[in-house]
């Protein structure tokens, strides 16, 4: 059996497959770097919304500093570098007081410290609640890790406090059905997520989402007062948390022309058409909504509670997997935005904060760069005369054929050396000399 395995040829790939693999690696790098070519230090651009950050353990072994892409290449070449993927609201530390006598080669005039930067154990090359490096040298098999969209730490699936990793929303092929994760530690800050409709969370495949306690209370209240929770499906229906069985404040139903008179007795609220004042009411509501919309706020809290008061008595939550576009569901009333600001999580309302938007921007930059390169190539060809064009294209074809012949005849068990590459170009030169 051993001889049979020894006789098996090592897998080979075509030049097309190789180039395709290189292109995929370049795209992956562009997505992480956000299209940053690493030519200039980002310090002068301030605290960027999101950028790729690196930690140099050679210069700052305590892991209390981070540098941008350009500085990692120019100032810390050959150092022990930890790749941190991306960090939000971060400013390049390279050469500041944390680096001692070391100065930044690209931007020398920097503040002694970037006070708004946030650091965690990732800057020391450690991750998850287990405080282990990645890749882990002691692990037989590297476990998949997921990043929390709040603290931006990475967690092993087995360390999220789940009864089983089957609770992670995935499709049949194992691809994630969620857009973001909030880890158990950060979920204590985001306790109010459980008060939203369950659709804000990504559902586990082939399972019906459970109804939260808050949703159940609201549905029961509406059912006693109106007979059915059906109207809660309408997004225009806003319930105040102080609503009781005997006292429901005005509730918008499916028809904008219908307002409920709360003075109706016997526990049933009769629909009364406010014909004479409807236009005035609608005009006032529309004007108010437009004003709030312009400011990015809403006067009416869709949760009906004061988060600043409710936070102290909130129950702890576990890891939460959020569905696509979950940010759009968050309340933007004055009380809620004040709570976000106090807790330092205002970025939850910012769509551009997401990794999806960051990668979308990176793809756009990459496409623009490729189009620019193609434009330069076409301009070069257009400037050539007819004969020069034919010679250039013929030379490109000869090079492709020579490389293809070399790969076909080359022994895949041996490494390609510099001498092999030189031989390819020597063969090309000889062929060109033999041409009339």
């Amino acid at each position: 059996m051993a001889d049979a395995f020894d006789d098996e040829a090592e897998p080979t790939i075509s030049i097309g497959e190789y180039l395709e693999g290189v292109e995929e690696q370049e795209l992956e790098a562009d997505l992480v770097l956000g299209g940053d070519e690493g030519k200039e230090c980002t310090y002068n651009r301030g605290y960027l919304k999101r950028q790729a950050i690196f930690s140099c353990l050679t210069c700052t072994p305590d892991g209390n500093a981070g540098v941008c892409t350009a500085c990692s290449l120019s100032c810390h070449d050959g150092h022990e570098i930890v790749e941190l993927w991306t960090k939000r609201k971060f400013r390049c530390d390279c050469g500041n007081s944390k680096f001692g006598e070391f100065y930044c080669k690209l931007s020398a005039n920097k503040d002694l410290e970037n006070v708004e930067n946030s650091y965690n154990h990732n800057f020391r090359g450690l991750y998850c609640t287990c405080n282990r490096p990645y890749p882990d040298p002691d692990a037989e098999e590297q476990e998949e890790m997921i990043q929390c969209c709040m603290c931006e730490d990475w967690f092993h699936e087995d360390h999220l406090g789940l009864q089983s990793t089957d609770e992670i929303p995935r499709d049949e092929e194992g691809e994630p059905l969620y857009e973001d994760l909030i880890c158990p530690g950060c979920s204590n800050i985001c306790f109010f997520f459980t008060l939203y409709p369950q659709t804000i969370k990504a559902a586990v495949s082939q399972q019906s989402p459970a109804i939260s306690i808050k949703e159940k209370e609201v549905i029961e209240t509406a059912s006693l007062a109106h007979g059915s929770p059906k109207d809660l499906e309408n997004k225009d229906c806003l319930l105040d948390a102080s609503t009781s069985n005997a006292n429901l404040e005005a509730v918008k139903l499916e028809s904008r022309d219908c307002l409920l008179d709360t003075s109706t007795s016997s526990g049933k609220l009769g629909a009364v058409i406010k014909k004479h004042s409807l236009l005035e009411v609608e005009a006032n509501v529309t004007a108010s909504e437009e004003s709030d919309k312009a400011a990015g706020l809403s006067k009416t809290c869709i949760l009906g509670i004061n988060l600043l008061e409710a936070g102290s008595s909130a129950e702890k939550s576990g890891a939460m997997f959020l569905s696509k576009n979950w940010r759009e569901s968050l309340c933007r009333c004055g009380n809620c935005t004040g709570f976000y600001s106090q807790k330092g999580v205002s970025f939850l309302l910012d769509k551009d904060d997401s990794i999806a938007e960051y990668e979308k921007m990176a793809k756009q930059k990459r496409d623009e760069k490729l189009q620019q390169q193609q434009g330069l190539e076409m301009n070069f060809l257009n400037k050539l005369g007819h004969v020069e064009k034919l010679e250039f294209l013929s030379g490109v074809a000869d090079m492709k054929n020579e490389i293809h012949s070399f790969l076909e005849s080359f022994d895949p068990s041996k490494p390609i050396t510099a001498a092999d590459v030189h031989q390819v170009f020597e063969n090309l030169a000889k062929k060109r000399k033999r041409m009339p």
Side-chain angles (χ1 to χ4, degrees):
M1 291 296 292
D3 293 338
F5 283 113
D6 292 338
D7 292 338
E8 287 185 2
E10 294 186 11
T12 60
I13 60 172
S14 67
I15 187 66
E17 292 172 331
Y18 172 77
L19 293 176
E20 184 178 344
V22 170
E23 185 174 352
E24 289 178 357
Q25 290 176 354
E26 289 179 349
L27 174 59
E28 184 177 350
D30 281 343
L31 293 182
V32 173
L33 299 179
D36 184 0
E37 296 181 359
K39 296 180 179 180
E40 296 181 0
C41 176
T42 61
Y43 176 83
N44 291 330
R45 294 162 61 188
Y47 294 89
L48 295 184
K49 185 169 290 187
R50 185 171 290 282
Q51 66 172 314
I53 292 296
F54 303 81
S55 175
C56 180
L57 297 183
T58 301
C59 297
T60 55
D62 292 337
N64 62 345
V67 302
C68 67
T69 301
C71 287
S72 72
L73 298 173
S74 298
C75 305
H76 303 273
D77 183 30
H79 293 189
E80 184 181 357
I81 297 293
V82 177
E83 300 179 15
L84 301 178
W85 200 25
T86 70
K87 295 292 182 183
R88 69 166 60 88
K89 199 179 178 183
F90 200 94
R91 198 175 194 185
C92 181
D93 286 321
C94 181
N96 65 14
S97 61
K98 297 183 177 184
F99 288 78
E101 299 297 324
F102 183 90
Y103 289 94
C104 178
K105 299 177 182 178
L106 303 179
S107 181
N109 298 321
K110 294 183 177 181
D111 293 339
L112 295 178
E113 188 175 349
N114 295 315
V115 294
E116 295 185 37
N117 280 358
S118 178
Y119 310 93
N120 60 11
H121 64 166
N122 295 168
F123 288 78
R124 301 194 303 275
L126 305 175
Y127 307 89
C128 190
T129 54
C130 60
N131 214 38
R132 295 294 302 169
Y134 186 89
D136 191 338
D138 296 333
E140 295 182 1
E141 184 177 349
Q142 300 302 324
E143 298 180 42
E144 185 174 348
M145 301 183 79
I146 309 175
Q147 188 182 38
C148 172
C149 68
M150 293 191 63
C151 65
E152 299 186 302
D153 195 1
W154 293 81
F155 296 87
H156 294 105
E157 295 179 356
D158 291 336
H159 297 166
L160 288 173
L162 306 174
Q163 293 183 354
S164 168
T165 55
D166 292 338
E167 295 180 44
I168 300 176
R170 296 190 179 96
D171 61 19
E172 295 178 354
E173 297 179 354
E175 294 298 320
L177 292 173
Y178 58 91
E179 181 174 296
D180 285 305
L181 160 74
I182 294 182
C183 71
C186 292
S187 66
N188 294 334
I189 299 175
C190 290
F191 67 91
F192 56 92
F193 274 51
T194 60
L195 307 180
Y196 285 95
Q198 194 69 12
T199 52
I200 197 173
K201 296 182 182 179
V204 179
S205 180
Q206 297 181 347
Q207 289 187 14
S208 300
I211 298 177
S212 68
I213 296 176
K214 176 66 178 179
E215 288 177 321
K216 185 176 181 180
E217 291 176 352
V218 172
I219 290 174
E220 289 176 351
T221 300
S223 179
L224 289 171
H226 191 60
S228 171
K230 179 181 179 181
D231 294 312
L232 288 176
E233 297 175 0
N234 190 297
K235 291 183 178 179
D236 289 333
C237 177
L238 305 178
L239 293 182
D240 191 289
S242 62
T243 300
S244 64
N245 295 343
N247 180 25
L248 277 179
E249 294 185 0
V251 179
K252 281 187 179 181
L253 294 181
E254 295 178 358
S255 171
R256 287 181 174 270
D257 296 336
C258 176
L259 296 179
L260 297 180
D261 188 343
T262 56
S263 63
T264 305
S265 59
S266 302
K268 294 184 178 180
L269 301 177
V272 180
I273 306 299
K274 307 290 187 178
K275 292 183 179 180
H276 300 290
S277 60
L278 180 60
L279 293 177
E280 181 180 355
V281 170
E282 287 291 343
N284 291 337
V285 170
T286 301
S288 176
E289 288 177 348
E290 289 297 326
S291 176
D292 292 336
K293 184 177 180 181
L297 301 173
S298 172
K299 285 185 178 180
T300 307
C301 180
I302 63 178
L303 296 179
I305 64 173
N306 189 327
L307 294 179
L308 293 171
E309 298 176 355
S312 59
S313 60
E315 295 182 2
K316 291 186 177 181
S317 305
M320 291 186 283
F321 296 90
L322 305 178
S323 61
K324 187 177 180 180
N325 299 325
W326 59 269
R327 295 172 189 259
E328 298 176 7
S329 301
L330 299 185
C331 181
R332 285 166 168 76
C333 75
N335 284 336
C336 286
T337 53
F339 173 83
Y340 305 149
S341 178
Q342 184 187 87
K343 297 297 183 180
V345 294
S346 296
F347 58 82
L348 293 175
L349 300 178
D350 186 2
K351 180 181 178 182
D352 293 337
D353 174 78
S354 69
I355 294 295
E357 288 297 315
Y358 177 82
E359 292 185 343
K360 180 180 177 181
M361 174 200 67
K363 287 180 180 178
Q364 289 176 346
K365 288 184 178 180
R366 176 179 172 81
D367 291 342
E368 291 172 0
K369 182 172 65 176
L370 292 176
Q371 289 176 4
Q372 185 179 16
Q373 290 176 352
Q374 292 173 357
L376 292 173
E377 292 169 359
M378 290 303 299
N379 288 336
F380 171 75
L381 285 175
N382 290 336
K383 290 179 180 179
L384 297 178
H386 179 68
V387 176
E388 288 84 359
K389 276 185 182 178
L390 291 177
E391 289 182 350
F392 176 79
L393 295 175
S394 175
V396 172
D398 288 342
M399 181 178 292
K400 290 173 64 177
N401 291 334
E402 184 63 30
I403 293 175
H404 182 72
S405 299
F406 168 76
L407 292 176
E408 281 188 334
S409 61
F410 190 78
D411 184 352
S413 64
K414 298 179 180 179
I416 297 176
T417 64
D420 295 325
V421 176
H422 287 304
Q423 186 62 51
V424 170
F425 284 97
E426 285 181 11
N427 293 340
L428 279 171
K430 290 177 182 179
K431 287 181 180 179
R432 299 299 292 175
K433 287 180 179 180
R434 290 195 297 267
M435 291 180 63

